[in-house]
Amino acid sequence: MFLTHLECTNCGTRHEWRELQNLCTKCQKPLFPVYDLAAVGKALKKEDLAAREKSLWRFREVLPLPADAEPVSLGEGGTPLLRAQRFGDAAGVSNLWVKDEGQNPTQSFKARGMTTAVSMAKHLGATKLAVPSAGNAGGALAAYAARAGMEAHIFMPSDTPRANIIECRELGAEVVLIDGLITDCGAEIAKRKTAEGWFDMSTLKEPYRVEGKKTLGYELAEQLDWTLPDVVLYPTGGGTGLIGMWKAFDEMEALGWIGAKRPRMFTIQANGCAPIVRAFEAGEKFAAEFPDAHTVASGLRVPKAVGDFIMLDILRKSGGGAVTVEDAEMISATREVGAAEGLFVAPEGAACFVALKKLAAQGRIGKDESVVIFNTGSGIKYLECYE
Ligand SMILES: Cc1ncc(COP(=O)(O)O)c(C=O)c1O
Ligand SMILES: [Zn+2]
């Protein structure tokens, strides 16, 4: 393994990877795993990857977990990057691609984060895992905890899509429904975790979900023949995928796999819950909690994100931006995408297609630029939205 330590994203304090860790013990901000990339570069050539298994564990050298430990895996990652010609033409963009994350185990990109986080939690001796979830993270944790023979305790808002709730129960997890938002679910776990012996798997409050998510960035480069697109549209809740991808870009540049060019990164949020868009537009470093958060795209209903300052920095550094979309627009875009491309996208994914049309119409995305949309989940989990 090439993981050397954990480092605070805010104050730089080093932390030990051999112990279960949550936030920085000094400043309560997220920790990032750091690797000996010079050694990785000697052990792994990007050309070696093509012959490996499809699962994201083919990037083992840039992932946590000692080499003799078996990952807790369900075959996650390795999703297709699909050309979306018809939708792109209609939106005035000739080079549009969709990374279809609905094809992961438990039908969302949350599987990527959970395979690495559960593998490390198990390796470091945790037995009971708890997570606040908007829906898909809960399903993914339930599946990976079951696979690992561990307990999962999942706290969800009571109006989380039915499919997510049922899925968690049928995967053997304990499900607690809370009359409130994901932030209230997180607070409940924080209150009870010590007494219950739970390890808190909240996104970015645990250092390894971001590592699984960063493989989105590795796969993107791999699928575009070691180049990156001009623009990335990412449906943003906690922002772990966006943050992870940016980390992957930096790691790949250090490995000499890609150059210095970065995509313009765009955060897409719902009108009813847009803390990052607001903070971006106001030029703020941190994002204030968004009041009365509501949207059918449950994954975007995150009024306060612990990684807000990391996301805002990425959006600005990349020359990207932040866009809001109405719920009704997401719902009608779902059928447009479905009929044009054969993909039943999640409302979160649909939001990016709406944003694409807006950005193209405003001239903020050029006709011949390459654009990648992350469809982070599957519409099949949100049937109540379409009835
Ligand atoms: C389908 C879907 N898309 C996007 C998100 C937001 O992901 P992130 O927390 O990485 O911003 C979620 C989170 O729950 C989700 O379930
Ligand atoms: Zn710190």
Side-chain angles (χ1 to χ4, degrees):
M1 180 178 71
F2 298 91
L3 173 66
T4 57
H5 63 280
L6 302 170
E7 193 175 284
C8 177
T9 50
N10 178 50
C11 74
T13 301
R14 270 177 93 113
H15 291 65
E16 175 55 58
W17 72 262
R18 289 174 190 81
E19 285 161 33
L20 285 168
Q21 302 275 6
N22 286 114
L23 292 169
C24 173
T25 50
K26 279 220 176 108
C27 76
Q28 302 301 306
K29 295 292 180 199
L31 299 176
F32 265 7
V34 179
Y35 300 82
D36 180 351
L37 291 175
V40 171
K42 289 194 189 108
L44 176 68
K45 301 287 166 248
K46 63 183 191 302
E47 293 75 20
D48 301 339
L49 293 164
R52 294 190 177 181
E53 57 164 345
K54 171 176 156 287
S55 139
L56 62 77
W57 287 97
R58 72 187 178 284
F59 301 108
R60 184 95 189 217
E61 287 86 345
V62 286
L63 292 175
L65 199 67
D68 58 355
E70 184 68 21
V72 181
S73 174
L74 291 161
E76 55 293 318
T79 57
L81 182 66
L82 302 166
R83 192 72 193 259
Q85 184 86 52
R86 249 181 240 107
F87 191 96
D89 284 348
V93 174
S94 65
N95 199 2
L96 176 63
W97 300 83
V98 184
K99 182 82 169 147
D100 188 22
E101 290 294 299
Q103 298 193 34
N104 276 297
T106 69
Q107 293 80 50
S108 90
F109 73 149
K110 297 284 172 180
R112 291 184 189 266
M114 289 304 180
T115 188
T116 44
V118 171
S119 295
M120 281 302 280
K122 181 176 184 185
H123 180 69
L124 297 175
T127 56
K128 301 175 184 183
L129 307 176
V131 81
S133 172
N136 286 314
L141 179 66
Y144 286 88
R147 191 84 181 157
M150 299 165 87
E151 283 182 23
H153 302 270
I154 296 168
F155 288 70
M156 292 167 152
S158 46
D159 52 357
T160 298
R162 291 275 297 154
N164 297 126
I165 297 171
I166 294 168
E167 173 184 42
C168 290
R169 289 199 181 121
E170 296 309 315
L171 287 164
E174 183 207 14
V175 177
V176 181
L177 298 179
I178 302 269
D179 256 335
L181 296 166
I182 189 167
T183 35
D184 301 306
C185 295
E188 187 65 17
I189 291 175
K191 205 161 69 189
R192 292 176 54 189
K193 66 181 179 185
T194 310
E196 302 277 2
W198 296 337
F199 180 59
D200 187 347
M201 299 284 276
S202 301
T203 199
L204 291 168
K205 291 185 187 165
E206 175 288 333
Y208 300 111
R209 281 175 66 179
V210 72
E211 293 303 287
K213 288 270 190 90
K214 87 181 176 189
T215 61
L216 289 169
Y218 278 92
E219 288 186 13
L220 201 56
E222 188 184 30
Q223 287 169 311
L224 294 172
D225 201 17
W226 306 103
T227 65
L228 297 176
D230 296 310
V231 175
V232 164
L233 304 185
Y234 182 82
T236 305
T240 317
L242 184 92
I243 293 167
M245 263 190 274
W246 197 258
K247 183 173 190 282
F249 298 158
D250 287 346
E251 289 175 1
M252 285 189 285
E253 187 181 355
L255 288 166
W257 293 4
I258 61 166
K261 183 190 170 241
R262 298 286 183 272
R264 304 201 300 284
M265 307 292 282
F266 284 85
T267 267
I268 315 303
Q269 297 197 304
N271 262 306
C273 183
I276 302 301
V277 181
R278 266 196 190 169
F280 181 82
E281 287 173 351
E284 275 154 16
K285 184 168 181 227
F286 296 95
E289 180 154 349
F290 197 91
D292 305 321
H294 62 89
T295 167
V296 295
S298 46
L300 306 186
R301 204 169 43 155
V302 180
K304 176 84 189 142
V306 65
D308 54 357
F309 65 105
I310 314 175
M311 276 186 267
L312 287 161
D313 188 45
I314 292 169
L315 300 180
R316 292 185 179 120
K317 259 196 214 145
S318 75
V323 176
T324 60
V325 173
E326 298 279 0
D327 279 14
E329 294 177 308
M330 296 177 208
I331 297 305
S332 64
T334 304
R335 193 173 298 183
E336 283 174 49
V337 178
E341 304 296 344
L343 297 171
F344 186 11
V345 296
E348 292 85 349
C352 295
F353 286 88
V354 177
L356 172 78
K357 286 206 251 180
K358 295 187 181 182
L359 289 165
Q362 293 163 3
R364 292 168 72 191
I365 296 180
K367 186 180 177 316
D368 297 320
E369 289 195 297
S370 55
V371 181
V372 172
I373 282 177
F374 283 85
N375 173 44
T376 44
S378 169
I380 208 83
K381 294 275 179 86
Y382 302 76
L383 294 182
E384 51 271 67
C385 295
Y386 307 103
E387 279 166 348

